Structures are given as structure tokens and as C-alpha cells.
Amino acid sequence: MVPATARASGPDVVSDLQLSIMRLLVTGSTDSAIAHRLGVSTRTITEHVRRISGRLDSGSRARLGCLIATSGLLDEPVSEN
């Protein structure tokens, strides 16, 4: 399980869990696959994806992945492995 410690403070806090979710989301992983990989429920992942999507005003999952990948939110390259 990934700890949910915060990377920043204030309204733009991104937890380690959310960063892990975003890294897997940009690879095209489903909520179920992300949940299994991170050891949390699918419902938890779905809720985090909804919140991240709302923050980035993405409108679709594909657009969300593109926004995350190009936004600089991820501090290291994403691989599918």
C-alpha cells in the first residue's frame, strides 16, 4: 500500500497515493488494475481519479492522462513496467 503523505501544503496538495494513481493512469491502466496494483479498493481509485479530473478540469479520462503527462505533475518519466 502507498502512504498518503502530502507533497505540498495548501489547497494543491497531491498525496503519494494520488501521484501513484496518476503514474498508472497515464499508462492506460483501468481503475481496477490500479487498485489491484496499489492494494486499495477500486472505489478509492475511482474517487481519486474523479477528484484529480476535477482539479485539472479534464472532461475525459483520455484528456486527463494527456494533461497529467504534459503538466509536470509527475517528477519522473512514466513507464508501463
Side-chain angles (χ1 to χ4, degrees):
M1 188 178 243
V2 178
T5 57
R7 288 230 186 247
S9 61
D12 294 326
V13 171
V14 177
S15 70
D16 288 343
L17 177 59
Q18 289 170 327
L19 286 172
S20 295
I21 292 167
M22 288 188 284
R23 285 187 180 101
L24 293 168
L25 193 141
V26 300
T27 68
S29 296
T30 64
D31 288 357
S32 179
I34 294 170
H36 180 74
R37 178 120 183 231
L38 299 180
V40 298
S41 74
T42 301
R43 186 174 176 180
T44 296
I45 299 302
T46 300
E47 182 60 23
H48 278 287
V49 169
R50 185 189 66 76
R51 288 179 185 168
I52 294 165
S53 181
R55 280 184 174 181
L56 297 178
D57 194 28
S58 68
S60 75
R61 189 179 183 96
R63 176 132 171 82
L64 177 60
C66 290
L67 288 171
I68 291 168
T70 60
S71 69
L73 287 170
L74 304 176
D75 55 3
E76 59 190 52
V78 177
S79 71
E80 292 191 36
N81 297 334

